[in-house]
Amino acid sequence: MTEAETRPNVARMYDYYLGGCHNFAADRAAAEEILKIFPDTGVAAQTNRAFLRRAVRWAAEQGIRQFLDVGAGLPTQGNVHEVVRAVAPDARVVYVDHDEVAVAYARRLLPTDGRTVVLRGDLRRPDEMLADPLLRATVDLAEPVALLLVAVLHFVPDADDPWAAVARLRDATAPGSVLAVSHLTLDGAPPLPARAGTAVYRRSSAPLMPRTHAEVARFLDGYDVVEPGLVRLADWRPDGEPRAAVSHGYGGVGVRR
Ligand SMILES: C[S@@+](CC[C@H](N)C(=O)[O-])C[C@H]1O[C@@H](n2cnc3c(N)ncnc32)[C@H](O)[C@@H]1O
């Protein structure tokens, strides 16, 4: 087995929480450890996906026709291009992930229609990502873009300055562009299980960096945050989908000034 298969991988652990089948034994074992500590992690992952779908639909309804989904993960039910196309069949969607396994699955499973593209890129290197010829061929940065940073920023440690990376992406997009952010928090969580949970992720492909409300809000600097603001994921414009009893994340959407 390769190291990629023996080391728990955050994209495939998340796939396991969502009930997917693109995961290996090491991913399942680590995910089961998390589920012992936080038994509602599966519901929380579904809550995050539901936030993503609502935020994407909202952006499409505002007229956005280009979507840049960074840290897109493995294809699952209700992918971004499916939600977008229900509103705008001609919209373009660029999926980006730094994980080669996630990118390989996405390339295999997603449509190759020229309007849905998958590329390997790293949020920590925004200029490299924005210079990718496939991205440039698909997205016109002079027109508004919806940038989706959903359940990805908590894998970027403070030392890599994720705020600077997000600001760089913001500055590269046109006014009227949208940013949708979701982010793990341990605000209000009991400290002991929180420590045990982050310890499991330290052994995985990416350490986990839960952040406070104020820290997450800084990602939306330079954006007019739409109602209801940066809130628990289940409280962001709920549309009647099943709600998690506990949401471990904040979600918010802003429009670039
Ligand atoms: C929990 S999944 C989220 C998937 C999807 N965005 C969602 O919310 O359903 C996190 C994804 O972020 C990716 N990721 C982590 N760090 C990244 C980085 N620096 N650049 C790009 N992708 C990253 C992981 O490989 C993984 O696929």
Side-chain angles (χ1 to χ4, degrees), residues 144-209:
V145 179
L147 174 62
L148 313 173
L149 298 175
V150 177
V152 58
L153 285 162
H154 50 232
F155 294 115
V156 183
D158 290 7
D160 288 330
D161 200 348
W163 294 278
V166 174
R168 177 72 197 103
L169 292 172
R170 177 198 64 212
D171 292 345
T173 54
S177 291
V178 165
L179 170 63
V181 177
S182 83
H183 199 296
L184 183 76
T185 187
L186 290 173
D187 287 356
L192 277 180
R195 272 206 290 278
T198 45
V200 174
Y201 271 90
R202 266 201 296 279
R203 291 188 274 112
S204 78
S205 57
L208 204 51
M209 288 295 308

Side-chain angles (χ1 to χ4, degrees), residues 11 14 48-49 71-73 97-99 121-124 150-152 155:
Y14 182 71
N48 178 63
R49 287 298 303 181
D97 206 288
H98 76 154
D99 182 77
D122 196 316
L123 177 53
R124 292 166 297 185
V150 177
V152 58
F155 294 115

